[in-house]
Amino acid sequence: MKKLTRRESLKLGATALAGAAVGMNLGHSARAQEPTLDLKPEQGATLRVLRPAKFVAGDEKLWLENTEKYTKATGVQVKVESQGWEDLRPKAAVAANVGKGPDVVYGWHDDAHQYPEKLVDLTDLGDYLDKKYGGWYDVCRKFGMRDGKWIAIPLGAAGARIVYRISALKEAGFEEWPKDLDGMLKVAQALASKGKPGGLALGNAVGDGNTWCHWLVWAHGGKMVDEADQVVINSPETVAALKYARELYQSFVPGTLSWLDPSNNKVFLDGQISWTMNGISIYYAAKNSQDEKIKALVDDIGHAILPVGPVGHPTELHLTVPAMVFAYTKYPNAAKDYIRFMLEREQYVPWQEASLGYFSQPLREYEKSPIWTVDPKHTPYRDLMANMLWPGYAGSLGYASAGVMADFVMVNMVAQAASGDKTPEEAAAEAQKRAERYYKV
Amino acid sequence: MTAEAIPGTKVFGTLAQLLENRTVLSVLFMLPAVSILVFFLAYPLGLGIWMGFTDVRIGRPGVFIGLDNYISLFDDDVFWLSVFNTLVYTVTATIAKFGLGLWLALLLNKAIPLKAIIRAIVLLPYIVPTVLSAIAFWWIYDPQFSIISWMLQKFGLIDQFVDFLGVPWNARWSVIAANIWRGIPFVAICLLAGLQTISASLYEAAALDGANAWQRFRFITLPMLMPIMAVVMTFSVLYTFTDFQLIYAITRGGPLNATHLMATLAFQRAIPGGDLGQGAAIATAMIPFLIAATLFSYYGLQRRKWQQGGRDD
C-alpha cells in the first residue's frame, strides 16, 4: 500500500500552498483554482444509502437536508436508511456477499478491507478530495486505500476525549488534565481520594471499551501485531500497560467491569464520577437536558485530549466511518458523486456543526470548521483523525483485525489485568494466544 | 367406445389408479409438510453444520477446512468457559424454573378467587418482549442505579451498591435469576393445563383409601403429569440452552466473559466478528448437548414405570 510519509505530505502541502499563491498572483480567486471532478450521475439514477443511526439528533437532520439538496441539484433520488450501529457491519457484509442491497454504505473501521474486491474503485474521488481539502490525514489512507487504490472514502471519526468535572479537578489541586500518563494516574488517584472517582468501561463495550484499552496499550508501546501481522501482544510493553491499568482501575468507581457503552454517560450525568472518556455526547446531553440538575453541569464539564504515553506520539483509536460503493450498483457514478457531495465544504461544514462536533473530519481543511472554535470545549475533539491509529495497528486491516476487535481480545486482556483476575503477564499471554487464532494463515 | 380408444383418458386412468395406491397417496399428502421441514429446518441445519467445516466469512465464500474450526475451539479457553457457563446456566435455571413453575401450577390449580385474572397476570413475564424485560433487568442490576441496592441501602443492610454484573459469579447468578423470572410462566401454564386433565375421581378414590396430600401428589399428580412434564422440560432446556437475548442485552457476555453462553459467543464470532465458520462450529457444538437433553426427556421422563407411579428398582 502506498503510504505518504510526513515529508511527502509536507511537500504536497507546500505544492498546494505554492499553487494557491500562483493562483492569487494571476489574480484569480483561490476557489477558481480548486480541482474539479465531474462524475456525471447516470440518467435516471436512484440510490439507496445505508448509514449509522444518528447519535446526536442534528446529524441525521442535516444529513437528510443535504441529501435533499443533492437530489435537487442532480435529480438523483436518494433513499437514506439508518441502521443500528451493531447491525451495520453484518448488513454491509451480507450485501457485499449476496450482491444486492444499498448502493452506498457508510460502515465501520476495517469493513472495506474485508471485501475489497466487491467495491468500486474510488481513486479519482480520493485524489480529488485530497487535493481540494488540504490532504487526508495519514490514517485515512490506511483506512481508505488498498494496493494503491482508494476503496473507501472516510467520512470522519467519532471519538473520545477525557471528559472531566472542572470543579473536581481544581478541588484535587490541579489546573488542567495532564498530558502524560504518570500525571493522569496522579490526578485519577487524587480525585478518588477526594471521593470523586472516575471510571472507564471494562465490559464488552464495543465503543468505549475498545477506545481506551487500545489507546492505553499502544501508548506504552504494546501492540496486537507488528507490521508483518505477527502477533506481538505478549510483550514487556503490554505488561507495563497492564500494570498501569491495574493502578488506574483502583481509582475507578465500583462496577466498571460490567459497564457497556451507555454506562459512563449516565453515571457521569448523574454526578457519580468526576471523569471518564467519551465522545462529545455527554456535553451535548447536558446542554440539551430539560433537567436543571444536569443542565447545571454544562459549565463544569471540561474536555482534554488523551495523554501521550512513553512511545511519544498520540495513540488514539476512534470509530471511523468509511463510505463504500458496492460493485453491484447500477449507478456507480451517482454513488461516487453522492459521497463527494456530502464531503464538499458546503455540506460537510454545516453537517459537522449540526452534529455538534461528534464527527471529526478526515481532511485537514476542515480543521478550520467553525464548530471547533465556536465553543472552546469543542476544540479537543478537532484532531481525532490526526492523532489516531487503526484497529490491528501496526499490521494490516482486514478479517483478522476486525475479528480480534469484535472478540474483545484487547478489552478482555485489560479487564483481566485491571481487576486482578489475572496477572498482567497471564493476561498478555492469553491475549497472544487468542489473537494468534485470528492471525493464523 | 372403450376407454382405451382415447389416449387422454388412458393417462387420466393411470393417474387415477396411481392415486388409488395408498403409498403414492400418502407420499403426496406428506409432501407439503416434508418440503417445509426440508427447506426451513433440514436445509439451514445442514448448511450450518457444513459451514462449521469451512472458513466461510461474511462477504466471502469459504473452502472446506475439515475439523480446523473444532481443533481451534478445543484449544480455546473462552469457548470452554462459554460451555461451562451454558451448562451452569441451563441446569440451575431449568431446575429452578421447574420447581417454582410446578409449585405455581399447583397453587393456581386450587379454587382461588379471581382465578382467571391471576392466571393472566402470571403469564405477564412471558408476554413482555424478552429484550424489554432484559433492559429492565439491566437497570435493576446496574452498579450505580440498581433499585435492589438502593433499597438494601435505605434499609441499612449494605453500605455500598452490590456489583451484580461486575463480579463473575454475581453476574452468572443475576442472569440466571432473570432467566428464571422469564421462564416460570411457560412452565407453570403448561403444567397447569396438564393438572386440569387429571380426573378428580382419582383424588377422591385416593382420599377414600386414606392417602395424604404428599401421597396424592407423589402417586397421582406426578405420574399423571409426567408426559407433559417431559415435553415442557424438553422445551425449557432447549430454550434455556440456546438463550441469547437476555445475555446480549444485560452483559454482552461480560464481565471477563463470565456470562458468555455458546449462543452469544457464536454470534459474537460469526456476525460482528465476521467469522461465520467459527460461529457455525460453536453452534454445531451445541447440538450434542441438545440431543442429550432431548433424549433424557424422552427416554427418561417418559418411562412407563415412572408414569405409573413406580420406581426404578
Side-chain angles (χ1 to χ4, degrees):
Chain A
M1 200 198 82
K2 180 177 175 283
K3 191 164 182 276
L4 221 60
T5 63
R6 187 171 291 271
R7 186 175 293 269
E8 279 170 330
S9 6
L10 281 175
K11 251 198 242 165
L12 249 182
T15 322
L17 266 181
V22 168
M24 277 187 285
N25 282 343
L26 290 173
H28 296 298
S29 73
R31 188 69 62 93
Q33 291 299 310
E34 279 178 346
T36 52
L37 178 69
D38 190 8
L39 285 164
K40 286 202 184 63
E42 297 80 356
Q43 269 295 315
T46 57
L47 292 177
R48 261 182 75 195
V49 175
L50 191 66
R51 71 183 291 269
K54 65 183 174 207
F55 202 79
V56 286
D59 149 36
E60 189 173 88
K61 190 168 165 279
L62 239 287
W63 190 271
L64 294 176
E65 279 176 28
N66 281 340
T67 303
E68 245 172 69
K69 249 169 91 181
Y70 180 72
T71 302
K72 267 196 195 131
T74 59
V76 176
Q77 292 294 326
V78 185
K79 191 171 165 224
V80 178
E81 295 161 24
S82 294
Q83 188 67 51
W85 287 25
E86 287 173 44
D87 301 328
L88 188 58
R89 167 165 278 183
K91 221 167 180 181
V94 168
N97 194 19
V98 300
K100 203 167 162 47
D103 306 278
V104 178
V105 172
Y106 289 88
W108 298 130
H109 280 321
D110 28 23
D111 278 350
H113 295 266
Q114 300 195 38
Y115 31 78
E117 70 286 356
K118 315 253 173 166
L119 302 174
V120 170
D121 182 353
L122 304 173
T123 305
D124 48 354
L125 183 54
D127 289 344
Y128 159 77
L129 291 166
D130 185 49
K131 289 198 188 93
K132 186 163 175 184
Y133 293 111
W136 298 102
Y137 293 112
D138 289 350
V139 78
C140 294
R141 292 173 196 282
K142 187 83 191 174
F143 279 108
M145 295 180 82
R146 198 174 175 101
D147 303 328
K149 283 195 303 195
W150 284 90
I151 54 168
I153 299 293
L155 174 72
R161 287 292 174 246
I162 303 283
V163 182
Y164 64 94
R165 297 282 294 273
I166 298 168
S167 59
L169 198 68
K170 288 213 169 108
E171 206 182 306
F174 297 90
E175 277 309 306
E176 59 173 15
W177 196 267
K179 293 185 170 54
D180 65 312
L181 288 175
D182 289 340
M184 174 163 162
L185 184 60
K186 283 195 191 96
V187 167
Q189 287 167 338
L191 285 167
S193 68
K194 293 259 173 205
K196 293 185 163 29
L200 299 172
L202 278 170
N204 287 353
V206 182
D208 291 343
N210 275 314
T211 302
W212 90 267
C213 293
H214 280 85
W215 157 75
L216 184 72
V217 172
W218 290 341
H220 283 86
K223 47 194 162 190
M224 197 57 81
V225 289
D226 62 14
E227 287 78 0
D229 284 333
Q230 295 298 310
V231 180
V232 292
I233 190 67
N234 191 4
S235 67
E237 290 82 9
T238 304
V239 170
L242 297 179
K243 284 182 176 156
Y244 181 93
R246 173 79 183 136
E247 287 193 61
L248 191 65
Y249 175 79
Q250 285 164 33
S251 74
F252 285 179
V253 74
T256 50
L257 276 180
S258 67
W259 277 13
L260 301 179
D261 284 297
S263 305
N264 64 340
N265 299 49
K266 58 187 197 189
V267 178
F268 189 96
L269 289 170
D270 192 54
Q272 294 193 41
I273 51 171
S274 63
W275 69 274
T276 186
M277 207 184 272
N278 206 67
I280 204 163
S281 51
I282 288 183
Y283 183 59
Y284 184 90
K287 241 181 168 173
N288 290 308
S289 176
Q290 303 295 320
D291 184 335
E292 284 308 314
K293 192 181 143 216
I294 294 178
K295 207 161 182 133
L297 287 179
V298 172
D299 291 335
D300 198 26
I301 292 178
H303 294 141
I305 63 165
L306 309 187
V308 173
V311 289
H313 60 81
T315 55
E316 299 166 9
L317 177 69
H318 307 297
L319 191 54
T320 312
V321 179
M324 302 169 280
V325 178
F326 286 109
Y328 57 71
T329 179
K330 281 191 267 176
Y331 310 110
N333 283 349
K336 280 159 77 171
D337 198 43
Y338 178 79
I339 297 174
R340 174 198 65 77
F341 186 82
M342 297 310 248
L343 268 163
E344 297 278 11
R345 186 183 294 115
E346 295 74 19
Q347 285 68 245
Y348 196 81
V349 170
W351 173 69
Q352 262 192 319
E353 276 174 50
S355 314
L356 219 116
Y358 197 75
F359 283 97
S360 185
Q361 67 284 336
L363 292 153
R364 291 173 207 272
E365 172 82 7
Y366 295 131
E367 285 170 13
K368 295 180 208 138
S369 286
I371 184 69
W372 303 127
T373 43
V374 65
D375 179 340
K377 287 184 184 176
H378 294 177
T379 316
Y381 285 91
R382 181 185 58 202
D383 302 319
L384 297 183
M385 294 205 84
N387 289 355
M388 71 179 282
L389 303 169
W390 59 91
Y393 165 79
S396 55
L397 290 161
Y399 287 122
S401 66
V404 167
M405 197 187 261
D407 213 16
F408 297 103
V409 175
M410 192 73 102
V411 178
N412 288 165
M413 175 183 77
V414 174
Q416 284 168 338
S419 64
D421 180 64
K422 288 207 159 81
T423 66
E425 290 79 9
E426 285 166 356
E430 188 183 312
Q432 173 87 17
K433 207 173 128 194
R434 285 179 68 184
E436 276 169 357
R437 296 178 48 246
Y438 287 90
Y439 280 95
K440 67 176 190 255
V441 186
Chain B
M1 194 194 288
T2 57
E4 284 79 16
I6 304 166
T9 316
K10 191 179 173 190
V11 172
F12 186 74
T14 322
L15 197 67
Q17 246 174 9
L18 261 179
L19 284 177
E20 286 293 315
N21 183 320
R22 290 177 73 91
T23 320
V24 172
L25 201 62
S26 53
V27 166
L28 275 180
F29 278 146
M30 279 192 297
L31 206 59
V34 168
S35 40
I36 287 175
L37 286 176
V38 167
F39 284 117
F40 295 107
L41 285 171
Y43 170 69
L45 182 69
L47 187 64
I49 294 172
W50 164 249
M51 278 176 160
F53 293 111
T54 69
D55 61 353
V56 58
R57 287 178 178 278
I58 297 187
R60 192 191 74 186
V63 293
F64 182 75
I65 53 165
L67 288 171
D68 269 16
N69 281 327
Y70 293 93
I71 292 166
S72 148
L73 283 178
F74 195 80
D75 193 31
D76 180 0
D77 295 341
V78 178
F79 169 71
W80 286 113
L81 184 62
S82 81
V83 173
F84 171 75
N85 294 336
T86 311
L87 290 175
V88 171
Y89 187 78
T90 309
V91 171
T92 48
T94 308
I95 290 173
K97 274 189 279 194
F98 242 79
L100 294 168
L102 180 60
W103 186 33
L104 193 60
L106 290 170
L107 289 178
L108 290 175
N109 198 33
K110 294 206 161 120
I112 41 171
L114 301 174
K115 199 151 82 172
I117 293 176
I118 293 175
R119 281 181 190 171
I121 291 172
V122 164
L123 264 179
L124 274 179
Y126 197 63
I127 296 165
V128 179
T130 312
V131 167
L132 289 187
S133 47
I135 291 172
F137 272 104
W138 183 55
W139 278 96
I140 290 171
Y141 293 142
D142 192 283
Q144 273 77 32
F145 300 100
S146 164
I147 188 160
I148 300 176
S149 296
W150 182 80
M151 284 194 331
L152 291 175
Q153 205 174 41
K154 285 276 164 206
F155 291 137
L157 294 171
I158 53 171
D159 303 324
Q160 212 181 20
F161 270 37
V162 182
D163 197 358
F164 286 107
L165 302 175
V167 178
W169 274 105
N170 283 5
R172 285 190 189 112
W173 293 125
S174 300
V175 290
I176 286 170
N179 180 280
I180 292 171
W181 176 84
R182 188 177 149 68
I184 285 177
F186 171 73
V187 177
I189 295 296
C190 290
L191 294 185
L192 180 62
L195 284 176
Q196 294 189 337
T197 63
I198 302 175
S199 163
S201 60
L202 288 173
Y203 291 105
E204 283 161 18
L208 286 177
D209 286 344
N212 61 25
W214 166 248
Q215 285 167 327
R216 286 200 299 272
F217 173 75
R218 171 68 185 81
F219 294 104
I220 300 176
T221 312
L222 209 54
M224 296 294 286
L225 214 49
M226 209 51 103
I228 191 149
M229 276 173 86
V231 175
V232 176
M233 175 75 101
T234 311
F235 277 102
S236 183
V237 168
L238 297 189
Y239 287 148
T240 316
F241 197 88
T242 56
D243 196 8
F244 173 85
Q245 296 182 66
L246 273 177
I247 302 293
Y248 198 67
I250 299 177
T251 65
R252 290 285 149 91
L256 310 170
N257 297 321
T259 60
H260 243 316
L261 302 184
M262 291 167 85
T264 51
L265 188 68
F267 174 81
Q268 180 175 302
R269 299 248 168 107
I271 308 297
D275 194 346
L276 280 179
Q278 175 89 230
I282 298 174
T284 307
M286 294 166 78
I287 295 176
F289 293 100
L290 295 173
I291 291 176
T294 317
L295 291 181
F296 168 74
S297 300
Y298 269 80
Y299 292 99
L301 295 181
Q302 290 212 328
R303 288 175 84 102
R304 189 147 295 206
K305 260 193 183 170
W306 290 11
Q307 289 178 20
Q308 289 166 353
R311 295 164 204 268
D312 285 319
D313 302 313

